Amino acid sequence: MAERTLITGTQNTWCPGCGNFTIQFALRNAIQKLADEGVPLETIVLVTGIGCHAKMADYLDINSFYSIHGRTIPVATGIKLANPELTVLCCAGDGDAYAEGLDHLVFAAKRNSDITVIVHNNRVYGLTTGQYTPTSPLGFRGRSTPGGTIEPPFNPLSLMLTSGAGFIARGTTRRMKELEDLISRGLRYRGFAFIDVLQICASYFNVGELYDRQGYALSGHDPADFEAACRKAEEWDYNRDAPIGFGLFYRQEKPVFEEQFDHRRLTAADREDMIRAILAAKR
Amino acid sequence: MAERTLITGTQNTWCPGCGNFTIQFALRNAIQKLADEGVPLETIVLVTGIGCHAKMADYLDINSFYSIHGRTIPVATGIKLANPELTVLCCAGDGDAYAEGLDHLVFAAKRNSDITVIVHNNRVYGLTTGQYTPTSPLGFRGRSTPGGTIEPPFNPLSLMLTSGAGFIARGTTRRMKELEDLISRGLRYRGFAFIDVLQICASYFNVGELYDRQGYALSGHDPADFEAACRKAEEWDYNRDAPIGFGLFYRQEKPVFEEQFDHRRLTAADREDMIRAILAAKR
Amino acid sequence: MADLSVLTGGRAGDGINSAGLLVSHLLNRMGYSTYMYFDYPSLIKGGHNFTITRAADMPVGACREKVDIVLALNQDTIDLHRDLMHDRTVVIYDSGKATADGQGVPVEEILKEEQAPPVMGNSCMIGAFAGAAGIPFTIVEEVFGTQIPRGLEKNLAVARRGYGSATRVLHIDRGHEGPFSLLSGNEAIGLGLLHGGLDAYVAYPMTPTSNLLHFLAGVAEDHPLTVVHPENEISVILMAHGLAYAGKRTAVGTSGGGFCLMTESFSMAGTNEVPLVVVMGQRTGPSTGLPTYTGQTDLHFMLHAGQGEFPRLVVAPGDITQACAWSARALSLAWTCQVPAIILVDKTLCEGIAPLRDGAFPPLPDENHDVPAGGRYRRYTITASGISPMLHPPVPGSAVKANSYIHDEAGITTERADVTVRMTEKRLRKGESLLHEIMRLDPVERSGREGASITLLCWGSTLPVCREVAGNLDFRVVQPVVLSPFPGEQLKRALSGAEQIVAVEENALGQLAMLCARNGITVDTSVRKIDGRPFAVEELERRILEVA
Amino acid sequence: MADLSVLTGGRAGDGINSAGLLVSHLLNRMGYSTYMYFDYPSLIKGGHNFTITRAADMPVGACREKVDIVLALNQDTIDLHRDLMHDRTVVIYDSGKATADGQGVPVEEILKEEQAPPVMGNSCMIGAFAGAAGIPFTIVEEVFGTQIPRGLEKNLAVARRGYGSATRVLHIDRGHEGPFSLLSGNEAIGLGLLHGGLDAYVAYPMTPTSNLLHFLAGVAEDHPLTVVHPENEISVILMAHGLAYAGKRTAVGTSGGGFCLMTESFSMAGTNEVPLVVVMGQRTGPSTGLPTYTGQTDLHFMLHAGQGEFPRLVVAPGDITQACAWSARALSLAWTCQVPAIILVDKTLCEGIAPLRDGAFPPLPDENHDVPAGGRYRRYTITASGISPMLHPPVPGSAVKANSYIHDEAGITTERADVTVRMTEKRLRKGESLLHEIMRLDPVERSGREGASITLLCWGSTLPVCREVAGNLDFRVVQPVVLSPFPGEQLKRALSGAEQIVAVEENALGQLAMLCARNGITVDTSVRKIDGRPFAVEELERRILEVA
Ligand SMILES: Cc1ncc(C[n+]2csc(CCOP(=O)(O)OP(=O)(O)O)c2C)c(N)n1
Ligand SMILES: Cc1ncc(C[n+]2csc(CCOP(=O)(O)OP(=O)(O)O)c2C)c(N)n1
Ligand code: SF4
Ligand code: SF4
Ligand SMILES: [Mg+2]
Ligand SMILES: [Mg+2]
């Protein structure tokens, strides 16, 4: 495996200054670390949606399933169910995971599917030229809302807390080292790991300065404390100016969905015995 | 209007002992009260999904839109958007609103659509013969999970709190008077009103005794206090035995989605002027 | 010729389906071919349910217009079905719940005396039926022994009392068939899929395929089979994508409304070449329609669902045995040719019960995907057959890249015109390869008299009724089991010499006739039914004679 | 004959589309018919974008294979498009960003000297183009005056410098056409819908119809129009159901993937008879495919999407003017006949820019639904036409009941066989009524020489290129604008006397040819294109002459 780099030769078409580059590097490093620890690279699978974020599937030289808009998560659960030896992660967009396919996010958290979901939350539909998403601030002027949106954003961290996610973190492309660390921890967590990444969109929502100014690294926060995590998550509502914490908000072990299935393979003979037994009972 | 009763002559096909009867009476009374106060009956519109609950559309003699499984809420928003003079409510199932169409629920709360959603939460798919739903207790044995479910339920009240709903209540078919009152208040609330109704399913989840034993009417609870509402909602997780509060958990006024649109009608002449102006700018 | 029809009716929730099934099993053990139709409205308790079991000394798969015995668990069963009775129809009824001319069974008294619970009332009535029909009680014992898991002794005791209370009015001789395994269409599909190598089944409940989910969930209790019921149909098909990408043979099941939600990912399978199998049970539409009744209105939707053009397999089995065999083949072909496949059935087939006959478990080819040695694995390698070697992660040293965009051989997105053309042509060749496979499997069934002047052309669950009518009227039957890729040559050959082709369909537009026209095959006349109920034998005969 | 093609190219994000549009406007004001094609990959900044503006003294709606002027904002524009240049192609380039044989424009220096920001570079190049082409500067002033909302003075100053820097190499005389309003297909559809009485538009962004959402959202800023962009396409179409049920004329827009998510509610419109209009922009599939390129692969999907059988209107306009007119008609017909309607377009039409010509705003019938007096209102009253009077709540004294189940006239669910038949027949009659309306609207367009031996049969956006080729080769063109209900009689009449019918389609399977075959019309040969790019004039000529 030594000769494999993690980056394909595909031409990169993200805008200059796009936060996706940072996520790519952080993710590549986190995967490299896994590989260095002995996880075979070929057991890592990336699922992406459709959007700027999703180009990650073309750029990282690992197994990938470039899915459709909004539909990373159930694919990832399917892959993990098929083969629990695989490490499965999603790169999803905020339009993707919070609008088009929100239900899957809630249900993956609820069932504690053993996958890691990284949401490239640039708070805008990048690839379709800058419309508002569920995390755009109130009054956002995009091309579908030239007069400003009339819906306040929701808070994905709070949503994940109520949905039962066991690993909930927030990172930003303005803090790459911390982001890499969060991704590493997410990938190692047994269960559903959710990482909301406040990503800069250089073309449509370039608020790096805001994240720098308001952002701080969580410290002294006990991620085992559910109530504290709820309060921490509410500190910033994705709308008004307030301190924005980055780090691990919540972490708890829970029974893992895919581990509750019988993963033995049926032999052909077992299979025919089974069929015969069923037929006999129907006679 | 005096000669109209609120019940159609349609043969009722709910099972004997079904909680839907209670909801029907409570709803009929609440509507009658609105009518008595001068709200014209013909301005009330009911939207239902598909399931046992949804038969309400056939049984109540009011405007109705008998929609498809999981899809009450966006229809209701559309109706309200079309004509803000209408009072629009949904009778949804828990399979309907919490599984098939969960995203709509979250978004209606987020945008504060001025509709009332009554979820007939019997914690089972009734009409398709008793499979588990997102609020069935862990280990529920239904026909799709004969060995018991492996997913814990989620808590719809908590979910609505994080989604931004301004009116959040829980009732039960074991307490009809209170239920009627909650529905009345929901219908009068300007904005998104959510009422989770713990409904008895006589055939597949007959836990009236549990709701009687664990249930109590909220009192001394301040529905204006968001934090208190969160704690109250978490008291029972829809799974383990714990006290189950009934009443209004949360209430707050917020800007209403449909009120932010321009509801004037274009005259034909205005319309043609508008087109001409656009064409002129393109020349 | 023995030909007996028994209607069993009562309230929804009173176990009518099980009672009817017991009747079928009794007649099955008596040596007859049986067929059971189950009619129920969309509600749980209180409405009227009924089954019709038909037993004959030849294969049957449809009801006749009249029944010979009515087993009435309530008054409605007598009042609502007068039109199904003839002069000599025998009514056996629960005398505590109904009054009629016929044999009353004092069910309540018997239960009381035997200290049996009310649910055992049906056993009492079954016993009375056996008694009236002259079925030896040992056969009741045999059937109850295999079919009633709990409380066997008490049920038998109650049945014996019912048996004793009945006057023998019929003299059914032992037939010479079977006994067969009696399966619903859903169960036959399930077994076929298992035979085809099913590893995982994912579904959200929806009539008429919910019972396939229930059946396989039951199998998964005791066997290593992955069965998941997720939050909705979108999740269903995407989980299937993930499972199949990672190497598990997966099927999903639904009906029209749920299928709509799957179309986007169905189209994805066109591009990412992940093999998928959808069991698609038609019911009366459009939209919610009549959820518990039948129809054949979704053929063209299945042929064209999803944006873009890509080969797909659509098979429409006509009876229980075909359902089993072609479900196995569909799963196998989906994997061989890496295409999405649809097993197109309907309420009549899914919920009807009939014997499984020979040919249900065909041998299936081994699929091995030879990967060219040397170099890294390329998921979409262009080949002459259009079929690329398919590996699943982990593949040491290689990344396996699936992609919903137009992609190059390695699975990397491209917007190049030339690659787009090459990949489209690859897909078209894959369709040819699929057609080639189909050719070898007899995709068009024929029966009846070769050389008959009238040919009934049918698809799906109308096969048995067409066969019977053709038998009676000395016609011929041709049924394309595979509808996509369309076996035009075989169908033309099968129809050659036909003087008059009569298409029999349970839809308003004549969808098979339309498909034929598009392929240069002209149907002369059509018989259509649109009320959600399957054709009865005499009804179809009459309708055909009106036009033929 | 004047016929000029100008390619404008540069990096994505550098305003190439706007620059190309300004070129079009200049030539429009010069008195020519113009057509602009916009080619861009699916990315925001950095990839290569280009437009081709064609101007001629006759209507044009397609590109030629070579361009006469290249306006190069970067080096790629020169390097990537050598195949589009001929011997005398003039290259005008930004000399700070590219080198070439041709006229360099020192954009950076000019901007510096004029103290103008970098975004005004395009104005400088447009000025240079005008100078080189011999377009009077007053025309630049006119065009900038209407098309550039901000910084007009400075933009004009910069343009004047570019103008001055260019050597005049062309002598374009004033033409005699227009000036026209130049619209994109999306804008034309939007205006047509507005003319048809649009009250509300709901959409989730998706290429190639996102710009229709953007356009109407802009209109809604100043006018009482309800425009909503909700969480996903399922919500989109259900909001539309609610809006229309309550009396607002509503349309939605999407592309194939989003349409898939709408199919379930599309079928609901079949049963609940709520009028809906879907603008459906095709792109290269299957699945995500090539999101910013074109195709005509979804015709049969549109004809059959949704379970069950119900009448639907499918119109496929061929150019900007038809797009406007038929969008208005589709909305009007959907309401008159209470059916779901699809305006089937593609990326070529949606994002191409051309003049709006006469006939774009046809008169529309008044729809009044006479409600029989007396008694309560019944939403689904059975009528001879199949069309029931449609009222919206509030209706004093009556409940308005819409229902996705099979229902009786009052809208109450039924499972009765007889009502099911009556309601299905009502739906069929509604289809007949719709066909009747269509008949009166010239659903089949013809052009070219009547009596020509070769007839080009096309649908949708290939119309203009077919027209031009037919003009050049003395052929005839027939285009069914309405594809459902299929105007078989009109089409047969239009094709009568054709010696050879050549179907021109941008798909692999020949979907129009299939539809014709099904309706007894035989296409002799087909010319197909599957690379996501529209036919160029010479390309189509060549391809046709190969087969015809
Ligand atoms: C069903 C469907 N609807 C719409 C689209 C069009 N579409 C492509 S990407 C995208 C938005 C992407 O936004 P997000 O997920 O936030 O990703 P980003 O580009 O910002 O990374 C949309 C709406 C689609 N591909 N599929
Ligand atoms: C898209 C779709 N999937 C599945 C179904 C089948 N179906 C009908 S009702 C129902 C469940 C209803 O459960 P719930 O919403 O809880 O209502 P209840 O019957 O319990 O009142 C399902 C799955 C459907 N009609 N449509
Ligand atoms: S549009 Fe935004 S998210 Fe997309 S590539 Fe450009 S900067 Fe990045
Ligand atoms: S199944 Fe349950 S919810 Fe449905 S009618 Fe019966 S008791 Fe009521
Ligand atoms: Mg985004
Ligand atoms: Mg329920």
Side-chain angles (χ1 to χ4, degrees), chain C residues 2-24:
Chain C
D3 192 346
L4 179 75
S5 294
V6 185
L7 182 149
T8 309
R11 279 190 324 180
D14 284 353
I16 302 308
N17 198 13
S18 317
L21 185 57
L22 289 172
V23 169
S24 300

Side-chain angles (χ1 to χ4, degrees), chain A residues 53 93-95 120-126 133 199:
Chain A
H53 66 276
D94 52 329
H120 297 220
N121 187 0
N122 55 2
R123 305 171 68 197
V124 81
Y125 291 175
T133 71
Q199 176 222 316

